[in-house]
Amino acid sequence: VVLLPCSMKKPYSNSKSHQKFRKLTRSFQELIVTSPFGICPRELENTFPIQSYDVSTTGSWSADEIEETGKLIAQYCEGKQIVANLAGGYLESCEAYVDDFVNVCVDERPTSPDSLYNLRMELKKHQRVNRKEKTLHELKSIAKYQFGPDGDKFIPDNVKTKGMYHKRILSNGKQLALLNKDHGLYRLNLPGGEILKDLNINVVKIDFDLTTNTVFAPGIVEASHNIIPNDEVVIVRNNTVLGVGKAIMTGREMEECSNGIGVKIKHRVK
């Protein structure tokens, strides 16, 4: 795992400092250290609120920031070799909770030529991650973040991606979802809804024929209680997927409300 400092520009990959880092680190697991959130794996940098927060930083870290960030680094990196390019509070949080790591930063300037040279030479000692394996890991990580502990099962091992910016997620010639890079999460297609139904994740059960792109609360029989507004959900009747869309209410509200829109449908079986 390569530990890197956060940047003012979001997402981090667009910043000048991270463009320098990525030339050296893109074939490894990258973990960005940031005081407001603790840590951010590279694959989640486009998700809210990591991609849009704006917190003024003084450069000095509080004891709480160092403690929380240090614990998260230790938990995430357990059992892995660590190469850090950190200075200041970033380095303090790592030193406080991680016993064995290599820091390549020189003169507290992670982007200096000397620091980048040290980073390049240190990473040559470690095995690079296969590009296909890294892509699969990133897609599964995003699914786990979006859909919960079993969410990684949403992405099959034979998955393929297409697209320059937004990524179409394909399996066996069918599009499961679209990875929207503007907010870093998946937008479901009907084949993806079938997988979520089988996993019993974000399921909304109804008792009527779906003929419009709106599902009102009175027609909802049952909904997963972990659903919150803007979640991607799958509409099911008699164990058959009828559509996929975006939740307007929480799962409990869908079950309990006698009026109002529960789900806005994006794709439905016609």
Side-chain angles (χ1 to χ4, degrees):
V1 179
V2 184
L3 302 185
L4 302 168
C6 64
S7 63
M8 187 171 72
K9 193 167 187 176
K10 314 293 183 306
Y12 302 124
S13 292
N14 291 348
S15 68
K16 288 183 179 179
S17 60
H18 278 255
Q19 285 172 6
K20 291 179 181 178
F21 298 149
R22 296 223 70 194
K23 289 177 182 177
L24 309 174
T25 60
R26 66 171 66 248
S27 297
F28 299 88
Q29 176 60 39
E30 299 164 284
L31 187 69
I32 296 136
V33 183
T34 166
S35 63
F37 294 99
I39 59 174
C40 173
R42 173 71 73 188
E43 59 268 24
L44 297 181
E45 68 175 357
N46 287 302
T47 58
F48 179 85
I50 289 283
Q51 38 82 304
S52 55
Y53 75 91
D54 188 12
V55 178
S56 59
T57 54
T58 60
S60 61
W61 287 41
S62 69
D64 285 343
E65 286 175 320
I66 290 172
E67 180 183 356
E68 291 303 321
T69 303
K71 286 178 179 177
L72 289 169
I73 292 172
Q75 185 179 350
Y76 186 91
C77 298
E78 187 176 2
K80 302 180 181 73
Q81 294 176 302
I82 303 171
V83 176
N85 186 18
L86 303 173
Y90 301 98
L91 181 58
E92 287 179 48
S93 62
C94 192
E95 287 175 333
Y97 289 89
V98 180
D99 296 327
D100 185 21
F101 71 98
V102 176
N103 188 41
V104 299
C105 185
V106 177
D107 296 331
E108 297 198 347
R109 291 174 56 219
T111 56
S112 71
D114 287 344
S115 296
L116 294 175
Y117 174 78
N118 289 348
L119 181 61
R120 178 187 289 110
M121 299 311 292
E122 182 61 35
L123 290 179
K124 282 184 177 180
K125 302 174 186 176
H126 300 274
Q127 186 175 354
R128 294 173 179 269
V129 181
N130 175 285
R131 185 175 177 181
K132 189 175 180 181
E133 283 181 24
K134 192 167 192 291
T135 299
L136 182 62
H137 167 74
E138 289 176 354
L139 295 175
K140 284 180 176 284
S141 294
I142 294 166
K144 201 166 189 176
Y145 176 79
Q146 182 171 355
F147 298 123
D150 290 330
D152 57 325
K153 296 172 185 173
F154 174 73
I155 301 293
D157 290 341
N158 67 348
V159 72
K160 294 181 179 178
T161 64
K162 285 188 178 180
M164 293 295 291
Y165 186 62
H166 302 307
K167 302 289 185 187
R168 294 165 60 211
I169 310 301
L170 307 168
S171 176
N172 298 325
K174 296 180 179 179
Q175 183 171 328
L176 306 181
L178 181 79
L179 179 55
N180 186 315
K181 283 291 182 142
D182 289 334
H183 54 67
L185 299 175
Y186 296 113
R187 197 175 71 203
L188 288 177
N189 287 74
L190 288 170
E194 292 281 356
I195 297 176
L196 279 197
K197 183 206 76 173
D198 293 340
L199 294 172
N200 197 30
I201 295 173
N202 290 8
V203 175
V204 176
K205 296 180 180 178
I206 61 174
D207 61 358
F208 62 94
D209 290 331
L210 189 62
T211 56
T212 68
N213 290 335
T214 306
V215 177
F216 289 93
I220 295 173
V221 178
E222 187 182 337
S224 303
H225 286 180
N226 60 295
I227 292 172
I228 60 173
N230 291 324
D231 273 356
E232 292 288 314
V233 299
V234 53
I235 307 298
V236 174
R237 185 188 186 193
N238 298 332
N239 206 35
T240 301
V241 172
L242 299 182
V244 292
K246 196 173 285 290
I248 305 299
M249 299 177 171
T250 66
R252 288 183 183 275
E253 287 170 342
M254 290 179 197
E255 292 179 341
E256 296 169 5
C257 288
S258 57
N259 56 41
I261 298 172
V263 181
K264 286 275 193 181
I265 301 297
K266 289 279 190 276
H267 303 282
R268 62 184 168 89
V269 177
K270 295 177 182 176

